[in-house]
Amino acid sequence: MSPASNSHPVSRPVAAAPLSVLGAFAIEVVGDAPVDRDRLAQAEVGALAQLIARDLADFAPEAARLELITVGAHYDPVELLRPGWPLHRELDELAARAPRGGLERDSGRIIAFGASGSVLPGTLPPSPDYLGGPLRLVPFVLKGAEDVVARVGDAFEHDLIEVGMAAADTALAAQAAFGLQVEHARFMTVHDLAAMTSIQYEHAGLAPLWPLLETALLHPGESAWLDAAPEPLVHYVNGEARIALMSPASWEQHYDHGVATTDDGQRERQQRLFQFFQGRQRQIAAVLGAHGISVQFVHCDLGDDCRAALS
């Protein structure tokens, strides 16, 4: 969503127009259990969408007055957590072009996209690169009268992470439809998802990267640095991440690892550290790319001001 305060340690994005609530039906899959399908046919998606709409209205009754836009497909968190929320934006734009009608519920409307001949519209097909993760997400957008959106959004931001467990029949419907085994199923906003992902990245040793990712997600017009030794030097600016591609000599200079010795053991250690540094660069570039952030490597040689080169 756009407005109001947030109880999570994640910043709010710049308000979008028109106002809307962005969220997801989150399915935690049992262990390594297989997943039969990542998308539903158009004829199948309506039943699950009706259950999602009902559950959301149970959490905030005014949600029944809003238009629910969703899709019969599930995605990895990195496919939702991208600057500008492109997957949610695609749902909104496709809905704007859809024929009026849809599934009625109370005074709101449900628009649920499914596959035709296994093909989803627009850019909605889930990426095969991110299948198999333990958390699968069915995105949704709620939109309508701005005062109603604001109240529902505030209620969801404050309470959904605590009270948003899906009803048993909703979880079972998703399990049967997608052919997977559900451990837990709940609803969350994109800000809940970002907060949860920040904790997961901390456990995965990626905590230093999160402030830069958070800026790209929630304040894409601003800039941020990853500038904390021994991490690679990264500058997010103008919508892209610039990574300093250092030579061994510039790396030693920048991180003060210069070794004035002929000791072979010490030099071998330096080489191993540099190789580890290069591996960390590749890891960070891959994470940024998975979140839809363009990465540019900027060469930085001995004597160069690497920070200036990335500005």
Side-chain angles (χ1 to χ4, degrees), residues 33 40 46 82 102 112 119 126 166 193 207 213 222 277 306:
L40 306 178
R82 291 177 173 173
V119 178
L193 178 61
L213 268 172
E222 299 181 9
F277 174 80
C306 295

Side-chain angles (χ1 to χ4, degrees), residues 4-311:
S5 61
N6 184 13
S7 58
H8 302 306
V10 176
S11 304
R12 306 301 299 277
V14 176
L19 206 60
S20 56
V21 180
L22 310 182
F25 172 44
I27 305 166
E28 185 179 343
V29 181
V30 173
D32 296 326
V35 177
D36 289 343
R37 295 197 291 171
D38 64 359
R39 66 199 69 188
L40 306 178
Q42 186 63 54
E44 302 171 295
V45 69
L48 181 59
Q50 290 274 22
L51 293 170
I52 289 173
R54 182 206 62 192
D55 285 0
L56 293 175
D58 285 343
F59 304 135
E62 282 192 298
R65 298 171 54 190
L66 298 174
E67 182 175 79
L68 170 69
I69 308 165
T70 189
V71 57
H74 55 82
Y75 306 82
D76 188 88
V78 297
E79 297 180 88
L80 270 66
L81 292 175
R82 291 177 173 173
W85 315 107
L87 191 52
H88 288 90
R89 186 175 65 246
E90 178 74 353
L91 284 174
D92 196 6
E93 291 175 355
L94 288 171
R97 301 195 297 268
R100 302 307 294 175
L103 302 169
E104 298 294 335
R105 55 86 158 85
D106 296 337
S107 58
R109 184 172 71 128
I110 300 173
I111 300 176
F113 296 100
S116 174
S118 80
V119 178
L120 285 164
T123 59
L124 292 182
S127 171
D129 295 337
Y130 305 113
L131 293 176
L135 184 66
R136 307 302 299 171
L137 301 165
V138 178
F140 67 79
V141 177
L142 289 173
K143 59 186 301 184
E146 289 202 357
D147 59 333
V148 180
V149 170
R151 289 193 295 271
V152 171
D154 284 344
F156 281 3
E157 293 294 352
H158 285 98
D159 301 328
L160 197 59
I161 195 64
E162 301 293 337
V163 304
M165 292 299 296
D169 57 344
T170 307
L172 289 173
Q175 179 168 277
F178 292 119
L180 44 73
Q181 295 183 43
V182 176
E183 180 77 32
H184 300 289
R186 63 175 309 107
F187 295 88
M188 59 179 64
T189 69
V190 291
H191 307 105
D192 296 330
L193 178 61
M196 183 187 70
T197 302
S198 72
I199 295 171
Q200 292 174 339
Y201 279 14
E202 181 177 0
H203 292 163
L206 289 167
L209 181 61
W210 183 255
L212 188 148
L213 268 172
E214 183 180 81
T215 298
L217 290 172
L218 304 183
H219 304 284
E222 299 181 9
S223 65
W225 286 87
L226 171 55
D227 186 5
E231 298 290 349
L233 183 65
V234 187
H235 187 200
Y236 174 79
V237 63
N238 295 331
E240 70 175 9
R242 302 173 184 174
I243 302 178
L245 189 61
M246 300 180 184
S247 65
S250 64
W251 169 76
E252 290 187 359
Q253 177 191 57
H254 185 82
Y255 294 98
D256 197 25
H257 287 319
V259 179
T261 179
T262 58
D263 182 83
D264 290 342
Q266 184 68 3
R267 295 305 303 175
E268 288 176 4
R269 177 179 179 275
Q270 289 296 96
Q271 291 172 358
R272 289 195 301 271
L273 286 174
F274 183 64
Q275 290 169 355
F276 177 82
F277 174 80
Q278 290 178 308
R280 182 65 163 176
Q281 278 188 321
R282 291 190 293 269
Q283 180 190 32
I284 285 175
V287 172
L288 291 168
H291 283 278
I293 299 168
S294 175
V295 174
Q296 177 186 359
F297 285 97
V298 179
H299 286 276
C300 182
D301 293 322
L302 182 63
D304 291 344
D305 183 337
C306 295
R307 294 180 182 86
L310 298 187
S311 297

